[in-house]
C-alpha cells in the first residue's frame, strides 16, 4: 500500500507592492475560489470589458471591472489586507470627506458633494492588479486558469487538419519570387 503526504500551507502568501504587504490566505478551498472566480468573470462579461483592450472601453465600465478584480482578490486575502484593497475615499479639494467599502455608496455620497470624486485608498496601476490576479490564480487555482463554462472561455483554437489550398488576395497581388 502506498502512502503519500500532502503539505498544507500555514503561512500567508505575501505580495509586496512598493513596500506595502498584502497578505493572502495560506490555503483557499476550491469551491470558494471557484465561486469568487465565476463572480469575477460574470462581472467582467456583464460590462463587456476586455482587459487586454481598454482603449475602446467605457471608463465607468472599466472602473467597475477593476472593482470586481479587487473584490475577487479581497476574498482571497486576510482581513486587514482585504480592508485596505477595498477601501474607497470620497475626496474633494485633496481632502478625504468619507471612507467607504462599497462603490455604489461612495459614488452616491460623492454625487451629494459637488466636485467630490471617488478614489481607491490604496491606489494601484491596473497592470499591478492584473498581475496580482494572475499570481492568485496560480497560487489557488492549481497553476492555470480555473475551468469555467464555455461562454466564459475564450474562443477555441482553429481545429487541426488540412488547410485550404485557395490563394489569399494579398498573396495573389504581391508576388514574392526570389525570396
Amino acid at each position: 500500500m502506498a502512502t503519500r503526504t500532502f503539505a498544507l500551507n500555514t503561512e500567508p502568501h505575501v505580495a509586496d507592492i512598493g513596500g506595502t504587504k498584502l497578505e493572502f490566505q495560506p490555503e483557499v478551498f476550491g469551491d470558494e475560489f471557484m465561486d469568487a472566480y465565476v463572480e469575477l468573470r460574470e462581472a467582467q462579461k456583464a460590462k463587456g470589458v476586455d482587459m487586454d483592450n481598454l482603449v475602446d472601453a467605457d471608463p465607468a465600465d472599466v472602473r467597475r471591472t477593476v472593482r470586481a478584480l479587487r473584490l475577487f482578490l479581497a476574498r482571497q486575502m486576510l482581513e486587514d489586507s482585504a480592508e485596505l484593497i477595498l477601501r474607497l475615499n470620497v475626496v474633494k479639494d485633496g481632502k478625504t470627506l468619507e471612507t467607504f467599502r462599497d462603490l455604489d455608496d461612495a459614488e452616491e455620497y460623492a454625487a451629494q458633494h459637488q466636485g467630490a470624486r471617488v478614489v481607491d485608498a490604496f491606489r494601484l496601476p491596473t497592470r499591478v492588479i492584473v498581475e496580482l490576479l494572475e499570481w492568485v490564480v496560480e497560487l489557488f487555482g492549481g497553476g492555470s486558469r480555473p475551468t469555467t463554462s464555455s461562454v466564459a472561455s475564450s474562443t477555441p483554437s482553429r481545429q487541426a487538419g488540412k488547410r485550404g489550398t485557395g490563394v489569399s488576395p494579398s498573396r495573389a497581388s504581391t508576388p514574392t519570387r526570389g525570396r
Side-chain angles (χ1 to χ4, degrees):
M1 178 154 83
T3 301
R4 181 165 179 181
T5 303
F6 294 89
L8 292 176
N9 293 317
T10 57
E11 295 295 318
H13 302 282
V14 178
D16 186 336
I17 303 170
T20 299
K21 294 186 182 344
L22 297 176
E23 292 185 321
F24 290 81
Q25 298 175 41
E27 295 287 352
V28 174
F29 292 103
D31 59 338
E32 293 171 1
F33 178 78
M34 283 307 302
D35 290 346
Y37 191 80
V38 167
E39 286 177 25
L40 168 64
R41 297 297 295 173
E42 288 174 357
Q44 184 179 356
K45 201 167 51 173
K47 294 296 176 190
V49 174
D50 176 5
M51 293 305 287
D52 294 325
N53 180 21
L54 298 176
V55 175
D56 299 326
D58 180 296
D61 290 343
V62 172
R63 181 172 183 79
R64 293 237 174 240
T65 299
V66 171
R67 187 67 183 168
L69 288 172
R70 283 178 176 259
L71 288 166
F72 170 79
L73 292 169
R75 288 178 67 175
Q76 317 314 311
M77 292 178 172
L78 298 181
E79 185 57 36
D80 288 346
S81 295
E83 193 282 321
L84 175 62
I85 202 164
L86 292 178
R87 189 178 333 140
L88 298 163
N89 292 332
V90 176
V91 178
K92 181 177 178 182
D93 300 327
K95 294 184 181 181
T96 299
L97 303 178
E98 193 66 53
T99 299
F100 296 88
R101 233 179 128 148
D102 181 83
L103 181 59
D104 292 331
D105 293 343
E107 287 177 338
E108 182 180 322
Y109 185 86
Q112 297 170 4
H113 297 82
Q114 187 175 357
R117 62 189 186 101
V118 178
V119 296
D120 291 302
F122 183 52
R123 299 187 68 193
L124 293 170
T126 302
R127 72 167 176 80
V128 172
I129 293 174
V130 171
E131 287 176 27
L132 275 172
L133 170 67
E134 291 170 352
W135 181 62
V136 166
V137 168
E138 285 178 29
L139 282 175
F140 302 126
S144 60
R145 284 192 175 176
T147 310
T148 54
S149 67
S150 60
V151 290
S153 301
S154 60
T155 307
S157 301
R158 189 176 62 81
Q159 295 297 315
K162 188 173 179 179
R163 292 180 56 183
T165 57
V167 176
S168 73
S170 61
R171 185 144 191 221
S173 63
T174 55
T176 56
R177 220 173 264 179
R179 284 193 181 171

